[in-house]
Amino acid sequence: MQSWPITTDDVRGAHKMLAGVARVTPMEGSRYLSGLVGSPVHLKCENLQRTGSFKLRGAYVRIAGLSPVQRAGGVVAASAGNHAQGVALAASLLGVHSTVFMPVAAPLPKVAATREYGAEVRLHGATVDEALQAAQRYAETAGSTFIHPFDHWDILTGQATVGLEILEQCPEVRTILVGVGGGGLLAGIAAAVKPLRPDVRVVGVQAAGAAAYPPSLAAGRPVTLERFSTMADGIMVGRPGDIPFEVVNTLADGVRTVSEEAISRALLVSLERLKLVAEPAGVSPVAALLEEPQSFEGPVVAVLSGGNIDPQLMQRVLRHGLVAAGRYLSLRVRLADRPGALADLLAVLTRVDANVLDIAHVRIDPRLGLTEVEVDLHLETKGPEHCAAVRGELREAGYVVSQ
């Protein structure tokens, strides 16, 4: 096996350094996911870590490794959330001044949390990339040290402690699933696990709309995506880091992609069945289990990498998840514009046990006749079969149904 700057002793040293700083997060079993997969599934709950994600581990190890002169100059970072909070708390604990650049539209709870952890927050640009460029320029002019979110060996060493804990908490593990953005967590876990347990498969999971690793692995070098978008903002990275890619390309057992619908369903499952609050990026390994439950050898450990979700995003994603799970149905139904027509329609919905959440009349549409009206319905349903039953009952009653 190739030799890396990260050794098992380095990871153990980092784990000792993090004692009292980062929590040894719990490993929770899931009967629901175990039933789907056909073997035990455990969740490594980094969503319960201080600052709400694994990022504190790498940030602390990186800043702790700075020289006294570098510490005196302060540190700079750019992030819309998890890395910002990890750097802010790590710097505060080590007595180092931190400046964090965040996009102007960064969620207010994340901005407030970063400030509360002790960072000086500067809002700049519309995107993380613009904030990143501003942070790098500031670091150069101010003589501060830029703390990259994933492209540094010290960062990987800190994240590797998650892998060490997994082996200690679940020694029988056969597959580890890890969400992937720039690749720091996946590379760190692979670097920690593979030297000790080469039989364990370490698999990355990316959102299909921001999947830079599959084409990069195919090309044998980091490839930059021209366009990328996903609700999982914590792993929305357009290019793998050079250092993480080197490790992932050699040690990891591939990177899978998951759809937005699967991520939404995974968020819903996390809340309803696992009783855990996680962000979309954090549940990407659960999404992989939901999409292809029979393709992973167990016992499986899925890393819930973060729990920092904006309440407004949670509301939107949960609705998306309810739709994907067949628990929420939107329909447009055409009916005669006469007294009692709406009551007749509602009677049909009552027979099929569909709960009406919202209803609106559409009267102005060139497709409608003079005596016609359309009704937009938002219904609470019980799953895909119930959705099909609702549509069938309406059509059998003579209604024209469309999306």
Side-chain angles (χ1 to χ4, degrees):
M1 183 174 294
Q2 183 169 342
S3 176
W4 304 104
I6 301 176
T7 67
T8 300
D9 285 343
D10 292 332
V11 180
R12 288 176 175 149
H15 198 255
K16 184 176 180 180
M17 178 193 299
L18 289 168
V21 175
R23 298 188 179 107
V24 176
T25 51
M27 184 82 73
E28 298 289 343
S30 168
R31 177 182 293 182
Y32 174 73
L33 292 176
S34 298
L36 291 179
V37 174
S39 62
V41 175
H42 305 279
L43 306 165
K44 177 59 172 169
C45 299
E46 284 295 294
N47 59 315
L48 302 179
Q49 184 57 262
R50 294 179 71 179
T51 75
S53 87
F54 69 95
K55 291 286 189 177
L56 172 64
R57 297 173 183 262
Y60 190 90
V61 172
R62 173 77 172 98
I63 298 172
L66 298 179
S67 69
V69 173
Q70 289 173 315
R71 292 195 189 193
V75 297
V76 181
S79 167
N82 292 346
H83 181 58
Q85 294 172 65
V87 168
L89 179 57
S92 179
L93 292 172
L94 290 165
V96 177
H97 181 268
S98 62
T99 304
V100 177
F101 285 74
M102 305 181 76
V104 172
L108 292 178
K110 294 184 178 181
V111 174
T114 303
R115 287 193 173 118
E116 288 170 5
Y117 287 129
E120 175 189 345
V121 175
R122 299 194 178 197
L123 301 178
H124 182 93
T127 66
V128 174
D129 284 341
E130 292 179 5
L132 180 65
Q133 293 169 10
Q136 290 172 323
R137 289 194 300 268
Y138 177 84
E140 291 173 0
T141 58
S144 301
T145 300
F146 179 71
I147 307 298
H148 198 283
F150 48 80
D151 212 5
H152 193 281
W153 286 110
D154 286 348
I155 294 288
L156 267 63
T157 303
Q159 320 307 27
T161 60
V162 177
L164 200 64
E165 290 178 15
I166 289 172
L167 294 183
E168 292 172 349
Q169 294 171 312
C170 185
E172 68 277 16
V173 63
R174 298 292 297 173
T175 304
I176 300 173
L177 297 178
V178 189
V180 185
L185 181 60
L186 176 61
I189 290 176
V193 169
K194 286 294 189 175
L196 297 172
R197 290 283 305 280
D199 60 303
V200 175
R201 290 179 56 80
V202 181
V203 180
V205 182
Q206 282 201 302
Y213 261 92
S216 297
L217 292 171
R221 57 178 175 79
V223 172
T224 302
L225 299 177
E226 292 184 5
R227 294 179 298 276
F228 52 96
S229 178
T230 174
M231 72 177 75
D233 58 330
I235 53 174
M236 189 169 64
V237 178
R239 182 186 184 278
D242 292 330
I243 291 174
F245 177 81
E246 183 183 351
V247 179
V248 170
N249 190 37
T250 304
L251 294 184
D253 298 286
V255 175
R256 294 170 175 257
T257 62
V258 290
S259 66
E260 297 295 283
E261 287 72 20
I263 294 173
S264 296
R265 286 177 55 215
L267 190 70
L268 192 62
V269 166
S270 178
L271 289 171
E272 281 193 325
R273 305 304 296 268
L274 311 180
K275 314 305 179 187
L276 291 166
V277 175
E279 61 191 271
V283 298
S284 56
V286 175
L289 291 173
L290 294 178
E291 283 200 326
E292 297 183 82
Q294 303 303 317
S295 62
F296 302 103
E297 181 183 0
V300 177
V301 171
V303 181
L304 295 184
S305 57
N308 292 317
I309 182 168
D310 179 65
Q312 292 182 338
L313 174 62
M314 177 180 281
Q315 185 179 35
R316 294 196 302 270
V317 173
L318 283 178
R319 176 166 291 189
H320 192 86
L322 288 169
V323 172
R327 301 270 299 281
Y328 186 90
L329 181 63
S330 296
L331 296 173
R332 177 169 284 195
V333 180
R334 188 173 299 186
L335 61 155
D337 189 8
R338 60 171 178 78
L342 181 58
D344 293 341
L345 172 63
L346 295 178
V348 174
L349 295 174
T350 299
R351 286 201 304 270
V352 77
D353 200 24
N355 185 37
V356 178
L357 300 176
D358 191 23
I359 188 168
H361 279 81
V362 179
R363 296 179 179 276
I364 303 174
D365 191 314
R367 298 174 301 164
L368 296 175
L370 291 175
T371 60
E372 291 180 321
V373 64
E374 284 189 329
V375 174
D376 279 336
L377 293 167
H378 300 282
L379 308 174
E380 184 181 20
T381 46
K382 302 173 183 177
E385 293 182 359
H386 191 207
C387 290
V390 170
R391 293 176 184 276
E393 189 77 11
L394 288 170
R395 291 192 174 105
E396 188 173 334
Y399 292 102
V400 176
V401 180
S402 61
Q403 285 297 106

